[in-house]
Amino acid sequence: MKLEVRDITKSFGEKQVLSGISFSVESGEALGLLGRNGAGKTTTIRIIMQLFEPNSGEILLDGKPLSIRDINVGYMPEERGLYPKKKIMEQLIYFANLRGLDKATAKSRADELLEKLQMTEYKDAKLETLSKGNQQKIQLIATLICDPDIVILDEPFSGLDPVNAMLLKDVVRELIEGGKIVIFSSHQMNYIEEFCNNIVIINSGKVAVSGTIKDIKHSYTKNLVSFVTDDEKAESYLSNDATISNFERAENGYKVELTDGTTIKDFMANLAKSDIGFSGVSDYEPSLAEIFVDYTEVAE
C-alpha cells in the first residue's frame, strides 16, 4: 500500500492552517511527521482520518481516494480518549465493537495485546487506577485492537519509563515489519531516528523539509566540520583561521563552520601547518534535534 497526501490546504475562517502539504509513505515504513505545537501536524492527521475535509488537495491510497470505511486506521492521539471510570476490558471490547469486531474476537484480540504489553493483571481495573504510563499502554491497545493497516501514533512514548518504552518499541517494530503504514509524530527525536527513514517537518502550515534523514543531514552539513581536540590553544587558533566563519563548542571539541568555497581539505591543510593537537576532523553530522530547530525557526 502507498498512502499519499497531495497538496492539502486547510483554513478555519480567515486563518490558513495548511498550505500545500504533500508527502507519501508505503507499507513497511514509518514516516516521522514533525513540527512545533501549532504547526499543522494534528490538522493534517485529522484530514487523513477524514475528521476534517481539506479546502483543496487529496488523500490517496494506492492511487485512489482514501475511504476510511474501506481501510482500518488506528489513531493514538496525544490527547488520550479513554474513560477513566470504566474497566479496561469493557472499554477495549467497546472500542473494538465500534470498529466492527464481534465480542468474542474483540476479547481474544484484547487478551493478546494485554499480554504482549504486560497489562493482563489490570484488565478488570478501572483506567483511573493506573499510572500514566500504563494508561498510555491501554490507549495503544485500543488503537491496535482492530489490527489496522495504517497506524498513526502521536507522542506515543510520552510519560513512559524505560521498561515500558522498550515494550512499546517492540510493538512499533512489529508493526513496521508486519507491513503496516506507520505515521509517527513526536518531539522525542531519538525515537524518530530509530524508526523512521523518512521525515516531514512542517512549519507554519507548510512543508519546511522532507526526505530521508540521511539525505537531509548530508545537505545540512556542506560547510560544517567536526574538529575533535582537547588542545587549550585550539580556540585561539580557530578565531584567527581565515577559512573559518564561525565555531562553537561541541562534544569532544568544536563544531566549525567554514567560509563559502572552503573545503575540509583546506581546513586540514591549514591545521597541518599549526602546532594544534587534535584527534579527528570529519564532516559534521547534526542531530535531528538541531535540524528540527533550524527548520522550524526559519519562518518565525
Side-chain angles (χ1 to χ4, degrees), residues 215-225 256-264 283-284 286:
D215 287 346
I216 291 170
K217 285 189 173 185
H218 180 71
S219 66
Y220 182 94
T221 60
K222 287 183 180 178
N223 290 324
L224 296 176
V225 171
V256 177
E257 183 178 354
L258 303 179
T259 57
D260 290 343
T262 299
T263 67
I264 191 171
D283 289 328
Y284 179 79

mmCIF file of all heavy atoms in Angstrom, residues 215-225 256-264 283-284 286:
data_model
loop_
_atom_site.group_PDB
_atom_site.id
_atom_site.type_symbol
_atom_site.label_atom_id
_atom_site.label_comp_id
_atom_site.label_asym_id
_atom_site.label_seq_id
_atom_site.Cartn_x
_atom_site.Cartn_y
_atom_site.Cartn_z
ATOM 1 N N ASP A 215 19.719 11.941 3.764
ATOM 2 C CA ASP A 215 19.913 12.982 2.750
ATOM 3 C C ASP A 215 19.794 14.382 3.352
ATOM 4 O O ASP A 215 20.527 15.299 2.967
ATOM 5 C CB ASP A 215 18.888 12.813 1.623
ATOM 6 C CG ASP A 215 19.202 11.623 0.724
ATOM 7 O OD1 ASP A 215 20.331 11.103 0.803
ATOM 8 O OD2 ASP A 215 18.312 11.209 -0.046
ATOM 9 N N ILE A 216 18.854 14.551 4.273
ATOM 10 C CA ILE A 216 18.679 15.866 4.900
ATOM 11 C C ILE A 216 19.919 16.227 5.713
ATOM 12 O O ILE A 216 20.407 17.363 5.651
ATOM 13 C CB ILE A 216 17.419 15.873 5.783
ATOM 14 C CG1 ILE A 216 16.158 15.779 4.903
ATOM 15 C CG2 ILE A 216 17.350 17.141 6.627
ATOM 16 C CD1 ILE A 216 14.883 15.534 5.670
ATOM 17 N N LYS A 217 20.459 15.270 6.440
ATOM 18 C CA LYS A 217 21.685 15.544 7.196
ATOM 19 C C LYS A 217 22.842 15.876 6.274
ATOM 20 O O LYS A 217 23.647 16.770 6.559
ATOM 21 C CB LYS A 217 22.039 14.331 8.075
ATOM 22 C CG LYS A 217 21.163 14.185 9.307
ATOM 23 C CD LYS A 217 21.697 13.101 10.229
ATOM 24 C CE LYS A 217 20.933 13.060 11.536
ATOM 25 N NZ LYS A 217 21.491 12.094 12.499
ATOM 26 N N HIS A 218 22.941 15.158 5.160
ATOM 27 C CA HIS A 218 24.037 15.394 4.218
ATOM 28 C C HIS A 218 23.962 16.797 3.630
ATOM 29 O O HIS A 218 24.973 17.493 3.524
ATOM 30 C CB HIS A 218 24.004 14.355 3.094
ATOM 31 C CG HIS A 218 25.094 14.525 2.084
ATOM 32 N ND1 HIS A 218 26.419 14.247 2.365
ATOM 33 C CD2 HIS A 218 25.068 14.973 0.805
ATOM 34 C CE1 HIS A 218 27.151 14.507 1.299
ATOM 35 N NE2 HIS A 218 26.366 14.946 0.336
ATOM 36 N N SER A 219 22.775 17.241 3.252
ATOM 37 C CA SER A 219 22.627 18.566 2.654
ATOM 38 C C SER A 219 22.859 19.663 3.687
ATOM 39 O O SER A 219 23.283 20.766 3.356
ATOM 40 C CB SER A 219 21.230 18.724 2.044
ATOM 41 O OG SER A 219 20.236 18.698 3.050
ATOM 42 N N TYR A 220 22.626 19.344 4.934
ATOM 43 C CA TYR A 220 22.761 20.308 6.024
ATOM 44 C C TYR A 220 24.223 20.586 6.364
ATOM 45 O O TYR A 220 24.562 21.639 6.891
ATOM 46 C CB TYR A 220 22.037 19.729 7.244
ATOM 47 C CG TYR A 220 22.003 20.574 8.488
ATOM 48 C CD1 TYR A 220 20.921 21.410 8.740
ATOM 49 C CD2 TYR A 220 23.015 20.498 9.442
ATOM 50 C CE1 TYR A 220 20.854 22.156 9.902
ATOM 51 C CE2 TYR A 220 22.955 21.250 10.611
ATOM 52 C CZ TYR A 220 21.871 22.076 10.830
ATOM 53 O OH TYR A 220 21.811 22.815 11.982
ATOM 54 N N THR A 221 25.105 19.644 6.052
ATOM 55 C CA THR A 221 26.463 19.681 6.598
ATOM 56 C C THR A 221 27.524 20.140 5.607
ATOM 57 O O THR A 221 28.708 19.969 5.846
ATOM 58 C CB THR A 221 26.867 18.282 7.096
ATOM 59 O OG1 THR A 221 26.817 17.352 5.998
ATOM 60 C CG2 THR A 221 25.927 17.791 8.172
ATOM 61 N N LYS A 222 27.168 20.746 4.500
ATOM 62 C CA LYS A 222 28.159 21.047 3.461
ATOM 63 C C LYS A 222 29.311 21.912 3.957
ATOM 64 O O LYS A 222 30.445 21.741 3.536
ATOM 65 C CB LYS A 222 27.458 21.713 2.271
ATOM 66 C CG LYS A 222 26.623 20.737 1.457
ATOM 67 C CD LYS A 222 25.991 21.402 0.256
ATOM 68 C CE LYS A 222 25.170 20.396 -0.535
ATOM 69 N NZ LYS A 222 24.496 21.029 -1.704
ATOM 70 N N ASN A 223 29.059 22.874 4.836
ATOM 71 C CA ASN A 223 30.116 23.771 5.298
ATOM 72 C C ASN A 223 30.470 23.572 6.767
ATOM 73 O O ASN A 223 31.087 24.447 7.368
ATOM 74 C CB ASN A 223 29.699 25.240 5.083
ATOM 75 C CG ASN A 223 29.670 25.600 3.615
ATOM 76 O OD1 ASN A 223 30.484 25.126 2.842
ATOM 77 N ND2 ASN A 223 28.719 26.430 3.233
ATOM 78 N N LEU A 224 30.082 22.419 7.333
ATOM 79 C CA LEU A 224 30.314 22.187 8.751
ATOM 80 C C LEU A 224 31.309 21.050 8.970
ATOM 81 O O LEU A 224 31.266 20.027 8.279
ATOM 82 C CB LEU A 224 29.006 21.865 9.465
ATOM 83 C CG LEU A 224 27.961 22.987 9.485
ATOM 84 C CD1 LEU A 224 26.680 22.500 10.140
ATOM 85 C CD2 LEU A 224 28.502 24.210 10.223
ATOM 86 N N VAL A 225 32.197 21.256 9.929
ATOM 87 C CA VAL A 225 33.244 20.286 10.227
ATOM 88 C C VAL A 225 33.245 19.993 11.718
ATOM 89 O O VAL A 225 33.058 20.909 12.538
ATOM 90 C CB VAL A 225 34.631 20.829 9.805
ATOM 91 C CG1 VAL A 225 35.758 19.932 10.301
ATOM 92 C CG2 VAL A 225 34.712 20.972 8.296
ATOM 93 N N VAL A 256 32.657 23.476 13.590
ATOM 94 C CA VAL A 256 33.293 24.556 12.845
ATOM 95 C C VAL A 256 32.554 24.797 11.536
ATOM 96 O O VAL A 256 32.279 23.853 10.784
ATOM 97 C CB VAL A 256 34.772 24.199 12.538
ATOM 98 C CG1 VAL A 256 35.416 25.295 11.695
ATOM 99 C CG2 VAL A 256 35.547 23.985 13.831
ATOM 100 N N GLU A 257 32.195 26.048 11.276
ATOM 101 C CA GLU A 257 31.576 26.435 10.006
ATOM 102 C C GLU A 257 32.632 27.082 9.125
ATOM 103 O O GLU A 257 33.251 28.080 9.496
ATOM 104 C CB GLU A 257 30.424 27.407 10.243
ATOM 105 C CG GLU A 257 29.692 27.791 8.960
ATOM 106 C CD GLU A 257 28.526 28.720 9.214
ATOM 107 O OE1 GLU A 257 28.204 28.972 10.401
ATOM 108 O OE2 GLU A 257 27.943 29.206 8.219
ATOM 109 N N LEU A 258 32.835 26.504 7.934
ATOM 110 C CA LEU A 258 33.841 27.005 7.006
ATOM 111 C C LEU A 258 33.266 28.132 6.154
ATOM 112 O O LEU A 258 32.060 28.200 5.912
ATOM 113 C CB LEU A 258 34.332 25.876 6.100
ATOM 114 C CG LEU A 258 34.911 24.639 6.805
ATOM 115 C CD1 LEU A 258 35.331 23.602 5.784
ATOM 116 C CD2 LEU A 258 36.087 25.011 7.701
ATOM 117 N N THR A 259 34.130 28.988 5.683
ATOM 118 C CA THR A 259 33.697 30.055 4.778
ATOM 119 C C THR A 259 33.274 29.463 3.445
ATOM 120 O O THR A 259 33.679 28.351 3.082
ATOM 121 C CB THR A 259 34.827 31.070 4.551
ATOM 122 O OG1 THR A 259 35.977 30.370 4.041
ATOM 123 C CG2 THR A 259 35.204 31.781 5.842
ATOM 124 N N ASP A 260 32.442 30.185 2.696
ATOM 125 C CA ASP A 260 31.997 29.716 1.383
ATOM 126 C C ASP A 260 33.198 29.439 0.492
ATOM 127 O O ASP A 260 34.135 30.248 0.416
ATOM 128 C CB ASP A 260 31.107 30.766 0.714
ATOM 129 C CG ASP A 260 29.754 30.897 1.404
ATOM 130 O OD1 ASP A 260 29.403 29.963 2.159
ATOM 131 O OD2 ASP A 260 29.079 31.916 1.207
ATOM 132 N N GLY A 261 33.161 28.297 -0.167
ATOM 133 C CA GLY A 261 34.245 27.943 -1.083
ATOM 134 C C GLY A 261 35.383 27.195 -0.425
ATOM 135 O O GLY A 261 36.269 26.675 -1.111
ATOM 136 N N THR A 262 35.381 27.132 0.904
ATOM 137 C CA THR A 262 36.433 26.408 1.617
ATOM 138 C C THR A 262 36.011 24.955 1.812
ATOM 139 O O THR A 262 34.864 24.665 2.150
ATOM 140 C CB THR A 262 36.686 27.048 2.992
ATOM 141 O OG1 THR A 262 37.105 28.399 2.808
ATOM 142 C CG2 THR A 262 37.769 26.296 3.749
ATOM 143 N N THR A 263 36.955 24.042 1.610
ATOM 144 C CA THR A 263 36.675 22.620 1.787
ATOM 145 C C THR A 263 37.331 22.120 3.066
ATOM 146 O O THR A 263 38.183 22.796 3.661
ATOM 147 C CB THR A 263 37.210 21.800 0.604
ATOM 148 O OG1 THR A 263 38.650 21.852 0.617
ATOM 149 C CG2 THR A 263 36.695 22.344 -0.726
ATOM 150 N N ILE A 264 36.963 20.919 3.454
ATOM 151 C CA ILE A 264 37.569 20.311 4.632
ATOM 152 C C ILE A 264 39.067 20.092 4.417
ATOM 153 O O ILE A 264 39.867 20.163 5.346
ATOM 154 C CB ILE A 264 36.842 18.995 4.997
ATOM 155 C CG1 ILE A 264 37.295 18.492 6.372
ATOM 156 C CG2 ILE A 264 37.051 17.944 3.929
ATOM 157 C CD1 ILE A 264 36.474 17.322 6.895
ATOM 158 N N ASP A 283 33.431 15.541 8.447
ATOM 159 C CA ASP A 283 32.198 16.274 8.178
ATOM 160 C C ASP A 283 31.312 16.206 9.420
ATOM 161 O O ASP A 283 31.180 15.154 10.051
ATOM 162 C CB ASP A 283 31.449 15.656 6.994
ATOM 163 C CG ASP A 283 32.153 15.895 5.667
ATOM 164 O OD1 ASP A 283 32.801 16.944 5.532
ATOM 165 O OD2 ASP A 283 32.072 15.024 4.788
ATOM 166 N N TYR A 284 30.719 17.319 9.759
ATOM 167 C CA TYR A 284 29.875 17.384 10.950
ATOM 168 C C TYR A 284 28.520 16.757 10.665
ATOM 169 O O TYR A 284 27.886 17.057 9.647
ATOM 170 C CB TYR A 284 29.684 18.841 11.377
ATOM 171 C CG TYR A 284 28.809 19.006 12.583
ATOM 172 C CD1 TYR A 284 29.306 18.780 13.861
ATOM 173 C CD2 TYR A 284 27.480 19.376 12.456
ATOM 174 C CE1 TYR A 284 28.497 18.925 14.986
ATOM 175 C CE2 TYR A 284 26.665 19.526 13.573
ATOM 176 C CZ TYR A 284 27.184 19.296 14.828
ATOM 177 O OH TYR A 284 26.380 19.430 15.924
ATOM 178 N N PRO A 286 24.859 16.645 12.098
ATOM 179 C CA PRO A 286 23.981 17.257 13.089
ATOM 180 C C PRO A 286 23.008 16.242 13.665
ATOM 181 O O PRO A 286 22.716 15.211 13.055
ATOM 182 C CB PRO A 286 23.231 18.313 12.275
ATOM 183 C CG PRO A 286 23.155 17.701 10.911
ATOM 184 C CD PRO A 286 24.448 16.964 10.722
#
